Amino acid sequence: MRSLPRLLGLLGGICWVAAWPAEALAITASVAERASSLAGEAVTFDLTIGDAVGPVQVRWDTGDETRTEFTVDDVQHVHTYAAPGHYPVLATVKDDVGFTSVSFVHTVHRPLVPGSAAGSTDLVYDQPNAKVYTANYENDSVSVLDANALTRLAEVPVARGPVGLALTAQGKLWVLHRDAHALSIIDTASLVVESEVTLPYASQPMGLAISPTGDAAYVTLMAVGKVLKLDAGSGAVVAELVLGGTPRGVSVSHDGSQIYVTRFISEDSHGEVARIDAATFQVSTRFQLAADTTTEDTDQEGRGLPNYLFSVGLSPDGAFAWVPGKKDNIFRGPFRDQLDLTDDNTVRPLVALLNVAEGVEDVARRIDLDDRNLPNQIVFTPLGDFAFISMAGSALVEVRDAYTGEFVTALKETGIAPRGLALTETNKLFVHASLSRAVTVYDVADIVSSHDLITKKLVEIPTVAAEKLDAQVLRGKQLFFNSADIRMSDQGYISCASCHFDGAEDGRVWDFGSVGEGLRNTVSLLGRRGTGHGNVNWSGSFDEIQDSDDNIRHLFGGKGFLTAEQLAVGTVGAPRGDKKAGLSPELDALAAFLGSLDTYRPSPFRNPDGSLTGDGVAGRAIFERLGCGFCHTGPDGTDSARGKLHDVGTVKPSSGSRAGEPLLGIDTPTLNGVWETAPYLHDGSAPTLRDVLVTSNPEDRHAFISGLSEAELGQLIAYVLQLDGTVDAAPSEDQPAPSEAGGFLGLGCSVMGGPPDRRAPLLAIALVAGWMTFGARRRRPS
């Protein structure tokens, strides 16, 4: 079975040969408009012939390696295709004078299931009312577009952080809010928010889908690892399922019987999609997307762990579920396999195909997308023969043959960060270019009909009337996502968002030995305000965000945003060298965007009103008693601004260096937001906070944990899990005072336990030793 681009090229060549002027072409032939057919069923091709001289003979090539001999009057040919696909059919006709030919592509599809599947999206098409809606995350609004006139009709203010949309059969538009942890219900006729449903505090609702049967709706809560079942009329919570992990995308099968939920951040062993039986609301299957450790790393494909799994796209034949994501090559690097990371083999986009009937991934059909970044959402043509894939990092939509997985074409100029897609019955494809604040519309009729690869960009419809983000911040976020800019990535694979989607982190540990570092656990950028905490990276290797131009050039394979002449001046070309700020508007915009990330996501480990739990309050006292606040100090929870690096017993040979210089210690990370950033430590060697404090705390160098009871250790962990930048009230006067104990002085000088008469001498020794060590480290170069 040949790919469509090759087929159309072949057919073009055939037509050219058929029109060769040396032959007498008085005879004419045509095939009537033909419909697609089902695999395994007979299809009839009717040939109409005109101006023939003498007997007419016809030879048929049906495109599936079946070819007849010239046969008299074979003008009605019956053929059965065994498998679905796009087949190039060629009929060659000759008479006593000459010959001619006619060619076309015939589509064979699988039996289609009734109805349409539903899935998470930030753009929905309202067919009865000919409207399109988009969720505008940063602008806290929903835009309403006219699907026929291709204009914006309205922009409706809604609660904070709308991320998902769904339509009910009753004409209501549901809006899911990540930041407000709520669900809004809008009447589509009046465009009035009728009601709001409060969801669990700090739960990060991310995925929303209403069953095609209309009897239920489903919401994923990414922060707490749950899926909710809601009443499709009121939005009231009917049931909840503890799924674990980071559930994000949710899709519902055509008959409403099966729910598919993606785990956004994967374990190191595999990616995962859970299938839930709607009747029992229990997990029936966990599809494991295996880590690829055997594929040879080339410029066309490579190894990697499936990660960043977005919403599942269910094919119209009900046979396969397509899962867009990326492959993280955590198997490569100087400390791992002695191979440097390259722009071709760090992150690669993938689409995994799940065999619905067998309950496993069809690994042989996994698609490795080339020169692309961050596939996000998938929609199919009505026959299920083509798949449209939005590439959030590549500013385009890729079209794939759904039967072979092969590339067909790409719809370019979508705008920045295309996410939601909708294909209408008039063959218009609506694309939500979320960071261009627009919906781009294409005419894809020729692709849908398999007639040609021609597409036409019709219009870009602005979605937002008054932008809330500062212009420089918005520009920075656009650059942050866009790998289509060769200054960011020459091959188009990597942008900042590849590892920091929405400013967060990907849960991976990378081997950055090739850029003068070592094993590095991806850091969330949320709440850090760019360089608001001080130097950035685990080694404190950059003193300004503009230093990231170094990684862009050496790791991303980009041209960079500074010229060779600029880099040659003084020490501009070196990290922590002469200032780069002010030399590039683009780097300054990136710095402005990262500087705008001034809040953490609220911790779901707190009470529903956002206050500390009882264990959190007790843990705060222990935190203070141990002196943890010496390094994790102030509102930011770090002494990074002092420029100090510390070794609390975790620096190893695999920790590498500091931008090519000796690594004397690790920059103190904030503890705010650590509840959602496992694994821990600079090399990710601690899977949990307990591991940080116990397993990875040799000789109590990180904190004097060995003096704590098991209950106290649990309370300390509970407190740290609740740190999210919230300024908590000071302990009341009637609260028990912290028990007497030595304090942690930042560098491993904790003193706790022992008889009371021995604590004072020990504490005195600890104070002297701690300050001597601190003074010695102050004199070290950092």
Side-chain angles (χ1 to χ4, degrees):
M1 199 184 307
R2 304 179 182 92
S3 67
L4 187 61
R6 293 174 183 169
L7 298 183
L8 295 175
L10 173 65
L11 294 181
I14 290 171
C15 293
W16 178 80
V17 170
W20 188 256
E23 299 290 345
L25 296 178
I27 188 172
T28 62
S30 62
V31 173
E33 186 70 24
R34 72 276 171 202
S36 59
S37 64
L38 284 171
E41 294 187 0
V43 59
T44 300
F45 300 125
D46 290 310
L47 188 65
T48 301
I49 297 174
D51 301 322
V53 178
V56 172
Q57 299 183 66
V58 182
R59 182 177 67 196
W60 290 90
D61 185 337
T62 52
D64 59 350
E65 300 183 354
T66 301
R67 183 177 180 178
T68 68
E69 298 298 328
F70 277 104
T71 304
V72 175
D73 291 334
D74 188 11
V75 295
Q76 192 174 62
H77 186 72
V78 179
H79 185 72
T80 299
Y81 290 92
H86 301 100
Y87 295 94
V89 180
L90 173 66
T92 304
V93 183
K94 67 179 181 179
D95 61 3
D96 289 345
V97 177
F99 69 87
T100 189
S101 65
V102 60
S103 60
F104 55 90
V105 173
H106 179 69
T107 299
V108 180
H109 62 89
R110 297 187 183 94
L112 304 178
V113 296
S116 299
S120 307
T121 181
D122 65 356
L123 177 148
V124 292
Y125 172 51
D126 181 359
Q127 181 177 354
N129 297 310
K131 293 178 181 177
V132 171
Y133 307 94
T134 67
N136 307 318
Y137 177 71
E138 290 94 350
N139 286 283
D140 302 331
S141 67
V142 169
S143 294
V144 186
L145 313 180
D146 187 314
N148 294 325
L150 304 183
T151 57
R152 185 180 70 221
L153 298 174
E155 185 179 357
V156 182
V158 294
R160 291 183 299 114
V163 290
L165 302 175
L167 285 163
T168 71
Q170 293 74 34
K172 308 298 181 183
L173 177 68
W174 284 24
V175 186
L176 191 67
H177 303 276
R178 180 180 194 174
D179 296 347
H181 37 267
L183 174 73
S184 299
I185 300 177
I186 297 176
D187 179 76
T188 54
S190 63
L191 298 181
V192 171
V193 178
E194 292 185 333
S195 61
E196 186 172 291
V197 178
T198 300
L199 298 174
Y201 173 77
S203 57
Q204 286 189 50
M206 285 300 301
L208 166 66
I210 296 178
S211 173
T213 59
D215 60 342
Y218 303 96
V219 169
T220 58
L221 304 179
M222 193 163 74
V224 294
K226 295 181 179 180
V227 181
L228 300 181
K229 181 177 182 178
L230 309 181
D231 180 272
S234 66
V237 176
V238 174
E240 71 173 39
L241 172 64
V242 178
L243 195 63
T246 49
R248 185 175 180 122
V250 57
S251 301
V252 188
S253 62
H254 312 74
D255 60 1
S257 66
Q258 305 294 326
I259 308 147
Y260 293 82
V261 178
T262 61
R263 179 174 181 171
F264 189 57
I265 305 294
S266 301
E267 297 179 359
D268 280 346
S269 57
H270 62 274
E272 185 176 280
V273 176
R275 180 165 59 186
I276 301 167
D277 180 80
T280 63
F281 203 50
Q282 295 296 316
V283 175
S284 61
T285 311
R286 288 187 184 266
F287 295 86
Q288 291 193 359
L289 279 57
D292 183 351
T293 61
T294 59
T295 298
E296 182 182 0
D297 292 344
T298 69
D299 61 347
Q300 298 294 314
E301 58 185 0
R303 296 170 291 170
L305 169 75
N307 198 17
Y308 275 7
L309 305 182
F310 291 91
S311 182
V312 167
L314 294 164
S315 60
D317 54 27
F320 289 94
W322 288 43
V323 187
K326 65 165 181 166
K327 285 198 299 186
D328 291 334
N329 199 343
I330 58 173
F331 314 109
R332 187 181 177 105
F335 292 98
R336 287 174 168 157
D337 65 356
Q338 293 75 57
L339 295 175
D340 287 348
L341 291 177
T342 67
D343 55 322
D344 278 305
N345 291 111
T346 300
V347 294
R348 299 184 67 91
L350 70 78
V351 175
L353 273 68
L354 310 182
N355 186 310
V356 170
E358 296 181 9
V360 296
E361 180 193 0
D362 189 340
V363 178
R365 295 190 63 192
R366 183 181 287 184
I367 302 171
D368 194 329
L369 304 165
D370 199 31
D371 298 337
R372 300 288 188 252
N373 184 27
L374 293 172
N376 196 265
Q377 187 174 352
I378 297 173
V379 298
F380 294 91
T381 50
L383 295 178
D385 56 332
F386 292 111
F388 295 91
I389 309 170
S390 63
M391 308 298 301
S394 301
L396 56 80
V397 173
E398 185 159 301
V399 186
R400 288 268 166 169
D401 186 311
Y403 302 134
T404 65
E406 294 187 356
F407 173 81
V408 174
T409 189
L411 311 182
K412 298 185 177 181
E413 300 179 357
T414 60
I416 307 299
R419 296 198 186 185
L421 303 173
L423 180 63
T424 73
E425 73 284 358
T426 59
N427 297 322
K428 291 185 178 67
L429 183 71
F430 288 77
V431 183
H432 185 202
S434 59
L435 292 182
S436 289
R437 311 307 197 215
V439 168
T440 306
V441 188
Y442 296 87
D443 181 345
V444 295
D446 284 341
I447 291 180
V448 173
S449 65
S450 300
H451 284 168
D452 210 327
L453 302 184
I454 296 174
T455 61
K456 182 180 180 182
K457 180 177 176 178
L458 300 177
V459 68
E460 286 185 14
I461 310 171
T463 55
V464 175
E467 175 62 45
K468 287 188 176 182
L469 290 187
D470 173 83
Q472 189 183 36
V473 169
L474 176 58
R475 177 59 178 149
K477 188 167 187 178
Q478 292 172 338
L479 292 162
F480 187 86
F481 263 84
N482 190 22
S483 63
D485 188 331
I486 62 171
R487 296 172 298 177
M488 177 66 75
S489 177
D490 186 45
Q491 297 296 317
Y493 287 111
I494 310 177
S495 65
C496 307
S498 299
C499 299
H500 299 281
F501 196 82
D502 289 339
E505 45 83 44
D506 58 6
R508 302 278 72 84
V509 177
W510 296 94
D511 185 345
F512 287 147
S514 57
V515 290
E517 295 280 322
L519 298 186
R520 296 290 183 264
N521 183 11
T522 305
V523 173
S524 173
L525 306 176
L526 301 178
R528 294 172 183 267
R529 308 187 308 281
T531 55
H533 291 184
N535 287 1
V536 297
N537 298 333
W538 283 102
S539 64
S541 55
F542 293 169
D543 62 0
E544 56 181 337
I545 298 301
Q546 288 83 347
D547 279 333
S548 60
D549 192 69
D550 189 68
N551 279 345
I552 289 170
R553 286 181 286 108
H554 295 135
L555 184 60
F556 295 14
K559 305 299 184 186
F561 295 98
L562 295 173
T563 66
E565 291 76 15
Q566 288 174 315
L567 292 169
V569 175
T571 58
V572 169
R576 306 187 312 283
D578 292 340
K579 291 297 182 183
K580 297 179 178 68
L583 299 181
S584 163
E586 291 82 9
L587 290 177
D588 291 347
L590 276 171
F593 167 59
L594 266 64
S596 73
L597 302 179
D598 56 2
T599 57
Y600 309 91
R601 294 189 180 124
S603 171
F605 293 91
R606 287 175 170 260
N607 287 319
D609 64 356
S611 63
L612 290 175
T613 65
D615 278 349
V617 172
R620 176 172 60 181
I622 297 169
F623 186 90
E624 294 170 351
R625 184 174 94 205
L626 293 180
C628 302
F630 186 85
C631 290
H632 297 288
T633 184
D636 291 328
T638 174
D639 65 354
S640 181
R642 301 173 186 166
K644 302 302 170 188
L645 302 178
H646 307 299
D647 181 4
V648 292
T650 60
V651 175
K652 313 161 189 173
S654 60
S655 301
S657 55
R658 185 194 194 205
E661 300 173 359
L663 180 68
L664 302 178
I666 298 299
D667 185 73
T668 304
T670 180
L671 297 180
N672 289 322
V674 299
W675 65 268
E676 64 172 343
T677 61
Y680 301 106
L681 301 179
H682 71 279
D683 58 358
S685 58
T688 68
L689 289 176
R690 175 177 288 271
D691 290 310
V692 173
L693 296 171
V694 179
T695 311
S696 301
N697 186 15
E699 301 175 349
D700 283 343
R701 292 181 63 181
H702 201 162
F704 203 101
I705 298 302
S706 60
L708 296 181
S709 67
E710 188 63 26
E712 288 175 317
L713 178 61
Q715 290 170 335
L716 177 60
I717 292 171
Y719 173 62
V720 174
L721 285 172
Q722 295 175 47
L723 292 172
D724 58 7
T726 300
V727 178
D728 294 299
S732 60
E733 292 184 2
D734 57 352
Q735 181 177 327
S739 60
E740 294 181 2
F744 173 55
L745 298 182
L747 300 171
C749 301
S750 302
V751 178
M752 281 191 59
D757 60 340
R758 295 182 58 189
R759 287 183 186 168
L762 286 172
L763 180 57
I765 293 171
L767 287 169
V768 173
W771 282 112
M772 287 176 64
T773 306
F774 180 64
R777 289 185 177 270
R778 289 185 62 190
R779 291 189 290 274
R780 281 186 175 182
S782 60

